[in-house]
Amino acid sequence: RYSFILLASHCVESFVRFTLGRVGRSSLQKGRGPGLITAMPAIGTFVAFICLSSLVLGALRLLQFASTSSKRLRTAICPHLNADNGKGHIRPGVLLVIAHPDDEAMFFSPCLTHLRRFADVHLLCLSNGGYDGLGKVREKELLNSASVFGIPHTNVTQIDDPSLPDGPKSRWAVGTVKSYISSAAQSMQRCDAILSFDDKGVSGHINHIDVHFGVIDYIKSQREALRAKGLILRTSNIAMKYSSTASALFLPLGKRDTVLIGNTSDLFSAWRAMKAHASQWVWFRRLFVVFSHYTFINEITIIPPRAK
């Protein structure tokens, strides 16, 4: 990694010296000083080069740990289970809890891409996204999106409860959220982990935040026999959120109680899954899939069972 960074820095330095030198010579030949306006084309080219270099270097860093993402995630969920998925080996159960159809595609694609290789994933969606009156349409779209990640329709539970209305100003009772999570977890053959939002809700949506507190309340109060741990998706700052693969350059590896999951191929899974939500497949969501940090990387904080 450091060799690539050093090489890129030398290339950038040489490029800047060459470009600005040409601008300066050209300006002097035309009888004017090398002012800011004259240097604008070089500055624009330099910024574009920096952005492209960051994206490429970020993708290279992602490739460094892509091959071990599944192993790290499996170890975080259930370290005592055998890594082999062959006959006779147990697959851990993971419950993904989201607030709206399309949350799974927009935010959790890296995790779901790796989970399908070794885990039985169940999906609990606590509303049908009926804020715009498209609830029934979005229920079908969620099933299509789940199929992209290898989640059977029988493993998808969608809630249409008037006490959990979809809306940016609609607060959800933690007790109600917790009860649905409890029912979903108990219906699974085994539930080793619950994957969901952190207390900032990733996008700041109030429904996401209420889902988080419902998950945490369930993890703290669950019976000893269940002991599912929490896998909490960490919210990134605004600069990281829209830096695509370049965000990988600024994420520390080996951080305690945190697992980084992702690889460069996740763009295709996220794109196909989000495209399955045809009613939501508008231009700005297409841009989100391409430039979002969450398309390529999930930074997961592990919450032990019965954590206080």
Side-chain angles (χ1 to χ4, degrees), residues 48-243:
F49 184 78
I50 288 293
C51 292
L52 181 59
S53 298
S54 298
L55 292 172
V56 172
L57 290 172
L60 290 172
R61 193 184 191 203
L62 280 174
L63 288 173
Q64 285 188 316
F65 65 90
S67 61
T68 59
S69 285
S70 293
K71 181 178 180 180
R72 287 196 305 272
L73 187 57
R74 181 176 58 243
T75 301
I77 294 171
C78 210
H80 62 275
L81 291 183
N82 194 297
D84 187 359
N85 292 330
K87 185 177 179 180
H89 294 282
I90 299 174
R91 292 169 63 89
V94 177
L95 175 64
L96 170 62
V97 184
I98 57 177
H100 318 104
D102 78 14
D103 288 345
E104 81 295 339
M106 294 181 70
F107 307 118
F108 295 95
S109 177
C111 271
L112 292 175
T113 299
H114 287 282
L115 283 171
R116 68 183 300 175
R117 301 173 184 175
F118 66 87
D120 288 325
V121 180
H122 289 243
L123 194 161
L124 171 63
C125 185
L126 290 166
S127 80
N128 64 3
Y131 183 72
D132 294 323
L134 298 173
K136 296 303 178 183
V137 172
R138 299 192 68 184
E139 287 179 6
K140 296 178 182 178
E141 292 174 346
L142 178 60
L143 294 176
N144 294 334
S145 176
S147 297
V148 173
F149 298 113
I151 304 174
H153 291 183
T154 53
N155 286 10
V156 179
T157 302
Q158 302 189 67
I159 306 300
D160 185 12
D161 186 338
S163 67
L164 300 177
D166 172 22
K169 297 182 179 179
S170 302
R171 298 304 307 260
W172 293 354
V174 172
T176 304
V177 173
K178 175 186 172 183
S179 66
Y180 280 117
I181 294 171
S182 178
S183 297
Q186 292 179 30
S187 69
M188 297 169 60
Q189 184 175 2
R190 58 180 296 148
C191 183
D192 297 284
I194 300 175
L195 174 64
S196 194
F197 306 100
D198 69 357
D199 59 357
K200 295 182 178 64
V202 179
S203 65
H205 198 297
I206 195 68
N207 297 160
H208 297 180
I209 295 171
D210 290 337
V211 167
H212 165 79
F213 287 111
V215 169
I216 295 300
D217 196 35
Y218 172 74
I219 291 173
K220 289 181 178 180
S221 62
Q222 64 188 324
R223 300 195 308 273
E224 189 72 19
L226 296 177
R227 297 189 60 79
K229 64 182 63 175
L231 302 177
I232 306 302
L233 177 61
R234 182 177 177 182
T235 299
S236 300
N237 60 51
I238 191 69
M240 292 277 284
K241 183 176 181 179
Y242 295 108
S243 58

Side-chain angles (χ1 to χ4, degrees), residues 14-28 34 42:
S14 300
F15 175 80
V16 172
R17 287 179 181 273
F18 173 75
T19 306
L20 294 183
R22 289 194 61 182
V23 170
R25 288 193 299 272
S26 176
S27 300
L28 290 173

